[in-house]
């Protein structure tokens, strides 16, 4: 198991994401392509998965897409931005993904903009 897999903890394979969201798997691929979700290959078989925390109340976490855009614009690769979202930040407190789930996207995006410099 990789460090990133351990850091995130709970992952959903793409078919499970489709079931959780009540969508066809092709729509899940579209969400990933559009940055509403971010995937990573996990496990020995390197299966495509999404951190479970990116799903909130049966939908993609609504503040994730804009945050992903900010991080990608700052030069983060997908694995790096997942790591950033799940790494504890004492100034929040907690992790950026926890703050997003609590509706504190402005605070997270400010930190994301600074993280790229």
């Amino acid at each position: 198991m990789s460090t990133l897999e351990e850091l995130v903890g709970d992952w959903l394979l793409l078919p499970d994401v489709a079931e959780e969201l009540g969508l066809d798997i092709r729509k899940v691929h579209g969400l990933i392509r559009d940055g509403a979700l971010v995937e990573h290959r996990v496990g020995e078989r390197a299966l495509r998965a999404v951190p479970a925390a990116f799903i909130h109340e049966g939908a993609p976490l609504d503040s994730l897409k804009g945050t992903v855009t900010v991080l990608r614009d700052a030069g983060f690769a997908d694995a790096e931005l997942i790591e950033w979202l799940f790494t504890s930040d004492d100034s929040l407190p907690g992790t950026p993904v926890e703050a997003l789930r609590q509706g504190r996207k402005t605070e997270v995006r400010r930190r994301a903009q600074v993280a790229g410099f």
Side-chain angles (χ1 to χ4, degrees):
M1 183 178 284
S2 75
T3 305
L4 183 59
E5 288 176 56
E6 291 176 15
L7 180 65
V8 171
D10 293 328
W11 293 86
L12 295 171
L13 299 177
L14 295 193
D16 298 328
V17 173
E19 185 177 321
E20 183 81 20
L21 299 177
L23 298 173
D24 182 90
I25 191 74
R26 291 175 299 220
K27 298 250 184 204
V28 173
H29 292 166
L31 291 171
I32 291 167
R33 194 172 37 256
D34 294 342
L37 292 173
V38 182
E39 71 172 335
H40 183 69
R41 294 196 174 263
V42 299
E44 287 182 20
R45 295 178 45 209
L47 299 173
R48 296 168 70 187
V50 169
F54 289 174
I55 308 296
H56 185 65
E57 298 178 353
L61 186 60
D62 66 343
S63 56
L64 182 64
K65 185 175 180 177
T67 305
V68 166
T69 299
V70 170
L71 289 167
R72 284 179 175 165
D73 287 351
F76 282 67
D78 286 353
E80 294 169 326
L81 72 85
I82 292 171
E83 180 179 0
W84 186 86
L85 286 165
F86 284 85
T87 299
S88 185
D89 182 338
D90 291 337
S91 69
L92 280 174
T95 65
V97 76
E98 289 168 348
L100 289 176
R101 291 175 63 87
Q102 296 167 359
R104 299 184 296 147
K105 71 179 179 185
T106 303
E107 293 175 64
V108 172
R109 289 186 186 162
R110 272 193 222 126
R111 285 163 180 77
Q113 288 172 330
V114 171
F117 295 104

